[in-house]
Amino acid sequence: MPEDDTIFRAAATLHRALAGKPIVRFESMYPAVTRVHDDHPLTASHVEKVSSSGKHVLMYFANGFVLRTHMRMNGSWHIYRPGERWQRPARDMRILIATADFEAVAFSVPVAEMIKTTALAKHRPLATLGPDLLGDRFDREEAIRRLRAHPDSQVAEALLNQRIAAGIGNVYKSEVLFSCRINPFVTVAALSDEQLACLIDTGRQLLLANVTSRLAPMTTYTGFRRTTRRDDPSERLWVYGRARLPCRRCGTPIEIRKQGTDARLTYWCSQCQAS
Ligand SMILES: [Zn+2]
């Protein structure tokens, strides 16, 4: 699953490419999306802005509709110059929006729908998302309160729960827990307020740092992540993807285990994160 910083950058890139320019072509493989286009043609409109909310990309059109897409595991937005060769097969194309200068293509996006802009605030699942870790008005206390409301959750699972706080994906889950030296398998109830604050604050810091550190190329999936504050890309993560390699702090081999109902991989150091 792409992390929120990747989605955020994808939205910013889409915004720069598309905003304000007349749409010259629109295609969709989703009948319900196509129907809105039939009734309220997007080719007579333009993109006003593109933003992200959690893992959702929201594309606001001047005709009063918002296109919501969710990347899930395999979806991504790409941007191409007209005529440029696509990096994924055309059969994976789900939505295409073209201006005179750019083509934005959503590949394998499993969720796409048109929502009236006026109905957006009450729209599920956006309305149920927890505070957005990348948001300008991020509500830290509310995120901590929502964590506390899940005392029996293992903390690694709670970090992935987007209704608690929107933003942390499977990579940052392990990285944040390592940074705060918290064992992924303890329950939220076992953690102090300081520990919960560490998780939330570190998650926000990592996400924000990766948004501002460099602008992504046009694909949204291979976002360069840096949690070690080192510049070598091979050194960019503390524990994620480093099973059996020595811990960067203490040398103990990093452990890996599937965790939770979705069996997401968790990486941790049994020494640094003993409890
Ligand atoms: Zn260690």
Side-chain angles (χ1 to χ4, degrees):
M1 188 186 291
E3 308 272 339
D4 277 23
D5 60 329
T6 316
I7 306 286
F8 184 96
R9 288 189 296 203
T13 306
L14 286 164
H15 179 87
R16 282 200 308 276
L18 300 177
K21 308 284 172 50
I23 294 169
V24 298
R25 197 167 138 219
F26 181 86
E27 294 176 28
S28 157
M29 297 297 148
Y30 290 98
V33 171
T34 306
R35 201 174 314 126
V36 171
H37 172 55
D38 289 342
D39 295 343
H40 310 270
L42 293 169
T43 40
S45 185
H46 64 269
V47 172
E48 287 185 329
K49 69 170 176 176
V50 186
S51 65
S52 65
S53 179
K55 298 190 192 314
H56 307 263
V57 172
L58 301 175
M59 192 175 286
Y60 294 76
F61 295 99
N63 70 351
F65 283 85
V66 179
L67 174 65
R68 174 178 81 89
T69 49
H70 191 292
M71 306 298 115
R72 291 273 164 79
M73 304 299 278
N74 295 312
S76 60
W77 277 99
H78 291 198
I79 295 172
Y80 299 102
R81 292 287 184 179
E84 189 182 344
R85 187 186 161 90
W86 291 356
Q87 292 173 24
R88 289 181 63 167
R91 66 173 180 276
D92 291 345
M93 187 273 275
R94 296 293 176 270
I95 293 172
L96 181 151
I97 301 163
T99 66
D101 298 325
F102 290 104
E103 285 178 350
V105 189
F107 292 101
S108 302
V109 168
V111 178
E113 65 173 341
M114 286 286 193
I115 307 160
K116 277 202 164 137
T117 310
T118 50
L120 195 64
K122 292 192 180 127
H123 187 79
R124 293 175 69 92
L126 296 174
T128 59
L129 280 178
D132 185 346
L133 284 158
L134 278 168
D136 292 337
R137 291 163 299 176
F138 174 66
D139 188 342
R140 177 177 186 265
E141 300 312 312
E142 174 64 10
I144 292 171
R145 193 191 68 72
R146 288 182 182 220
L147 269 175
R148 277 278 177 241
H150 292 74
D152 299 328
S153 281
Q154 292 184 347
V155 61
E157 289 199 74
L159 289 178
L160 288 180
N161 184 340
Q162 304 297 301
R163 295 177 184 207
I164 292 176
I168 293 178
N170 209 41
V171 177
Y172 285 147
K173 175 193 80 178
S174 291
E175 296 292 296
V176 164
L177 286 162
F178 179 86
S179 294
C180 297
R181 302 199 180 209
I182 293 170
N183 186 281
F185 303 95
V186 301
T187 61
V188 171
L191 298 174
S192 67
D193 288 346
E194 290 71 27
Q195 286 176 308
L196 294 189
C198 178
L199 293 171
I200 294 297
D201 292 346
T202 305
R204 180 163 159 84
Q205 277 166 19
L206 292 183
L207 287 163
L208 286 174
N210 278 279
V211 163
T212 54
S213 64
R214 66 180 64 192
L215 287 173
M218 294 304 182
T219 59
T220 64
Y221 237 56
T222 53
F224 179 92
R225 295 195 184 88
R226 209 163 41 180
T227 63
T228 55
R229 295 177 185 272
R230 301 177 193 183
D231 285 333
D232 179 352
S234 69
E235 296 270 293
R236 70 192 192 278
L237 297 171
W238 287 109
V239 290
Y240 185 87
R242 301 192 63 247
R244 293 174 291 281
L245 292 173
C247 171
R248 298 189 192 286
R249 272 192 188 137
C250 75
T252 303
I254 298 299
E255 304 209 25
I256 179 174
R257 193 192 297 171
K258 288 178 181 170
Q259 184 175 13
T261 45
D262 294 335
R264 309 299 303 280
L265 292 175
T266 296
Y267 297 84
W268 80 105
C269 171
S270 60
Q271 283 300 310
C272 294
Q273 299 165 266
S275 59

